[in-house]
Amino acid sequence: MTTLLDKIKPSRISTKLSFYVAVFIIVAFTPLQIYNFLMLKAEIKNQINKEQYTQAKYIAKDIQKKIAMRTNFLVALADKIPPQKIQSEAFITEIFKNNIVFTDFFPQGFAVISPNGQGVIAEYPVIPGRKNLVMTDYEWLRKANNSQGVIISSPFRSEVMGEVLVVIAKALRDENGQVLGILEAPIFLNRPGFMEYIFDKDFSERSDILVISRTNQIFLASSDPNLVLKATPKEGMDAFLDEVMRGFNGYGHTVTLVEGEMLAATADINSSDWFVMVRTPVAKVYQIINESLRAAIINGIIVSFSVFLVVMFFLFFFFNPLKKAAESVRKMVLQKKSLTHIKGYKKDEIGDLIIGFNAAIDMVNERNDKLEKSNAVLESLSQVDGLTEIFNRRWLDKTLNHLWLVKTRSQQPLTLLLIDIDEFKKFNDTYGHIAGDDCLKKVAQTIQETINRPTDFLARYGGEEFVILLESDIKEGALIAEKVRLAVSNLNISHSETSYKHVTISLGIASMTPQLNIKSVELIKQADLALYQSKEHGRNRCECYKN
């Protein structure tokens, strides 16, 4: 019986490919389905982010409005207390009683505190323990004493009630501006009424709401009570939160240790340094669609695997030469051998491909040889200053950072000499830039010849400045510095614009035992300070940095 396979002529690649491409079309539905799901996920993510941003802006605006209403109320209440009555507990208490019925802003009432924080002048209603509380060192008391308007404190946990709150306060002054008392009222951050959205169970099942202080870097309020007054993640742990802390408003995604990846949006509360963050776990957003996607992927895998087995049966015979060629290439790559010609090909398209590959190998080998030579030249050029032919600033930075790590481990000192040619600008102005370049070359060459130990490192720092790195202490650094200064001075390069009448150098010396918590740039800064002292004390001298 003649079959379809008997009619296929396997002599040409076009015939072979036509057969397995026709079979492989069966699995086209799976990637298309995956693509559709991915597009849907992106659309859902974008929609959720926009909804979160709208919610965050609404909540921030609502909190802003509530702060403004409480501020205005406190100002109006302060205006009702005349200066001559501030010490009258009965009078102030009566005012509090008459006004508390008009508002639910301050469920814990009001109090007038002595300016020094030593006692309560009047309060209503009475909170047990508040009169005995010494508030002298309270941040909000100091702010109120120094402010003409209403202040809002940083969040803290009340010593009396044990709850997280902020205090809104205003100084009561006489006609001369002297503070006679501080009118204050607490706002509880984690009670319904001020931030009731946090206590909305329907909402919290889907998303978290956070109120965060940029200045204090803490969570002020949260759907999770365990986060309240806890520090926000350190910079670098959450890229989205880092952007928000720097003032960003908008949406993106964040990562937490508990929930993992979350979609998030933020909006500022304009009257303070607070901002609102709404977060939704990605797992909840994509739960249903992920289940559908998982089912589609499983079905696609089953179909794809079945087709794969069928196709591989035919490809094993038809593409065996290509398989051998691929194995040869793989061995050359994995074993890091030089590229060699592939043998054993037939006279068809695969054979033509192998012939072309062999020709490409010849080209690659030739270009690799040229590239290695070019890289060696470039590596040398990247390390050396073109004018003075000593190491450049880039290689200095790399060497200093490397030595800093080495000496941190061994706890041995590292000494740096910062060198500056005295009055070099005047030299250029007087003798010209060509002479200036020649001067730089001679000074660099002389310094290099003076420090002849293998571990001594010389580089051009910039302009007329040079740096010497020594793996030694400051005592040896001072000896080498003086040796270098004398060597340059003995060149007797004429310089009529200096008091010495020839080219001289000033040196700043600094030495440190590197530590993990100190950056290598501190060593340069210390040497720079010492160099400044050398210049101040007359130039042509060496100065050591002293703490």
Side-chain angles (χ1 to χ4, degrees):
M1 180 178 176
T2 303
T3 65
L4 179 62
L5 292 179
D6 295 327
K7 296 180 181 180
I8 295 176
K9 296 181 180 180
S11 59
R12 302 294 296 174
I13 286 237
S14 58
T15 305
K16 306 168 190 175
L17 289 179
S18 297
F19 178 78
Y20 89 81
V21 167
V23 177
F24 197 74
I25 291 176
I26 300 172
V27 299
F29 172 77
T30 300
L32 180 62
Q33 189 73 356
I34 293 174
Y35 173 77
N36 290 336
F37 274 114
L38 293 176
M39 293 296 292
L40 183 58
K41 286 181 71 172
E43 181 62 29
I44 290 176
K45 176 182 177 182
N46 187 51
Q47 187 63 33
I48 292 294
N49 270 144
K50 289 181 179 179
E51 290 178 2
Q52 287 179 322
Y53 187 42
T54 301
Q55 290 167 348
K57 288 194 293 184
Y58 177 80
I59 294 171
K61 186 175 181 180
D62 183 69
I63 293 174
Q64 166 69 28
K65 178 181 177 182
K66 290 176 178 177
I67 291 174
M69 293 171 67
R70 284 159 174 76
T71 299
N72 293 337
F73 188 90
L74 200 72
V75 170
L77 183 61
D79 291 339
K80 295 179 181 181
I81 304 175
Q84 60 272 20
K85 292 289 188 178
I86 287 179
Q87 298 303 320
S88 174
E89 180 177 4
F91 177 81
I92 296 176
T93 302
E94 189 64 24
I95 289 179
F96 288 168
K97 287 181 180 180
N98 293 335
N99 281 271
I100 202 168
V101 298
F102 296 112
T103 180
D104 58 355
F105 296 161
F106 305 106
Q108 292 301 315
F110 313 95
V112 175
I113 311 299
S114 297
N116 59 8
Q118 300 286 339
V120 177
I121 297 174
E123 64 175 331
Y124 183 82
V126 175
I127 297 177
R130 178 156 61 179
K131 281 197 173 183
N132 298 325
L133 200 61
V134 177
M135 294 173 267
T136 305
D137 295 329
Y138 281 19
E139 166 254 1
W140 62 264
L141 188 75
R142 294 196 300 271
K143 287 172 64 177
N145 270 293
N146 295 324
S147 175
Q148 296 294 327
V150 176
I151 64 97
I152 299 177
S153 74
S154 299
F156 65 96
R157 192 175 295 278
S158 171
E159 296 179 36
V160 176
M161 290 167 283
E163 295 193 50
V164 179
L165 55 82
V166 294
V167 169
I168 180 169
K170 185 180 189 303
L172 303 175
R173 303 174 183 272
D174 61 16
E175 60 274 7
N176 297 321
Q178 182 178 354
V179 179
L180 305 177
I182 306 295
L183 174 61
E184 64 92 5
I187 300 176
F188 293 92
L189 298 181
N190 289 285
R191 283 191 186 182
F194 185 66
M195 297 184 182
E196 60 268 14
Y197 307 99
I198 293 174
F199 303 95
D200 187 334
K201 292 184 179 179
D202 293 335
F203 189 86
S204 62
E205 287 179 358
R206 295 182 292 108
S207 303
D208 295 337
I209 299 179
L210 306 169
V211 180
I212 302 172
S213 169
R214 284 193 177 91
T215 300
N216 301 103
Q217 296 186 349
I218 59 174
F219 297 99
L220 306 180
S222 170
S223 305
D224 181 2
N226 296 322
L227 286 179
V228 176
L229 286 190
K230 294 293 180 61
T232 57
K234 294 181 179 179
E235 186 173 0
M237 297 180 65
D238 187 332
F240 179 75
L241 184 60
D242 291 344
E243 288 294 320
V244 176
M245 283 297 190
R246 289 191 285 268
F248 173 75
N249 272 218
Y251 51 81
H253 72 277
T254 182
V255 179
T256 66
L257 294 177
V258 178
E259 296 286 354
E261 185 178 1
M262 305 182 80
L263 302 183
T266 64
D268 282 348
I269 300 172
N270 295 330
S271 64
S272 64
D273 70 329
W274 304 351
F275 63 89
V276 175
M277 177 181 287
V278 179
R279 305 187 307 190
T280 305
V282 169
K284 292 183 180 179
V285 174
Y286 297 150
Q287 184 175 2
I288 297 176
I289 196 170
N290 280 342
E291 291 174 359
S292 300
L293 178 60
R294 193 177 299 112
I297 291 174
I298 292 173
N299 292 333
I301 290 174
I302 293 173
V303 174
S304 298
F305 184 71
S306 301
V307 174
F308 174 77
L309 292 178
V310 175
V311 172
M312 284 302 298
F313 175 77
F314 293 100
L315 293 183
F316 178 79
F317 296 102
F318 297 150
F319 287 91
N320 198 40
L322 189 59
K323 177 183 176 183
K324 291 181 179 179
E327 289 176 351
S328 299
V329 173
R330 184 180 293 107
K331 287 181 180 179
M332 282 187 277
V333 173
L334 294 179
Q335 297 176 8
K336 297 182 179 179
K337 295 181 178 179
S338 58
L339 298 178
T340 56
H341 285 189
I342 298 173
K343 299 179 180 179
Y345 50 84
K346 298 180 179 180
K347 294 182 179 180
D348 55 14
E349 284 86 344
I350 293 178
D352 294 340
L353 179 64
I354 293 175
I355 291 174
F357 183 79
N358 289 339
I361 286 177
D362 293 336
M363 293 176 60
V364 170
N365 286 335
E366 182 182 353
R367 291 179 181 179
N368 281 344
D369 292 340
K370 293 180 179 178
L371 185 60
E372 288 178 2
K373 294 177 182 178
S374 298
N375 285 340
V377 174
L378 289 174
E379 179 66 19
S380 176
L381 292 175
S382 69
Q383 300 175 10
V384 176
D385 177 62
L387 177 65
T388 59
E389 296 184 354
I390 62 175
F391 290 119
N392 58 22
R393 172 68 179 275
R394 175 178 172 273
W395 197 248
L396 166 66
D397 293 339
K398 187 174 181 179
T399 303
L400 176 58
N401 290 332
H402 170 72
L403 287 177
W404 193 265
L405 293 175
V406 172
K407 298 304 179 181
T408 299
R409 288 193 294 268
S410 65
Q411 284 298 284
Q412 293 179 338
L414 186 63
T415 300
L416 186 143
L417 282 59
L418 186 58
I419 305 168
D420 183 77
I421 300 177
D422 296 326
E423 304 290 4
F424 188 72
K425 184 179 183 304
K426 292 182 179 179
F427 185 92
N428 271 337
D429 293 341
T430 303
Y431 300 99
H433 289 283
I434 295 177
D437 290 347
D438 187 54
C439 175
L440 287 172
K441 293 177 184 178
K442 290 180 180 179
V443 169
Q445 183 182 0
T446 300
I447 297 174
Q448 187 69 74
E449 292 172 352
T450 305
I451 53 165
N452 50 18
R453 294 181 305 180
T455 58
D456 296 344
F457 178 88
L458 171 65
R460 186 180 181 187
Y461 190 66
E464 68 273 18
E465 291 184 315
F466 302 89
V467 165
I468 299 176
L469 275 178
L470 303 173
E471 298 183 39
S472 57
D473 56 20
I474 197 166
K475 182 177 179 181
E476 186 172 349
L479 293 174
I480 292 177
E482 181 61 20
K483 186 178 178 182
V484 167
R485 186 193 68 80
L486 288 173
V488 173
S489 182
N490 290 336
L491 289 174
N492 285 320
I493 300 173
S494 179
H495 191 350
S496 61
E497 298 301 316
T498 69
S499 57
Y500 298 100
K501 301 305 178 183
H502 63 273
V503 171
T504 60
I505 58 174
S506 297
L507 299 94
I509 310 159
S511 183
M512 295 177 68
T513 300
Q515 305 294 330
L516 286 174
N517 60 340
I518 301 176
K519 295 183 179 180
S520 58
V521 71
E522 293 300 321
L523 184 61
I524 297 177
K525 290 179 180 179
Q526 291 184 5
D528 191 46
L529 291 173
L531 176 61
Y532 177 79
Q533 292 297 319
S534 296
K535 297 288 187 180
E536 287 291 303
H537 294 160
R539 296 185 174 86
N540 192 22
R541 59 185 291 113
C542 309
E543 289 281 354
C544 294
Y545 174 81
K546 298 177 182 178
N547 290 326

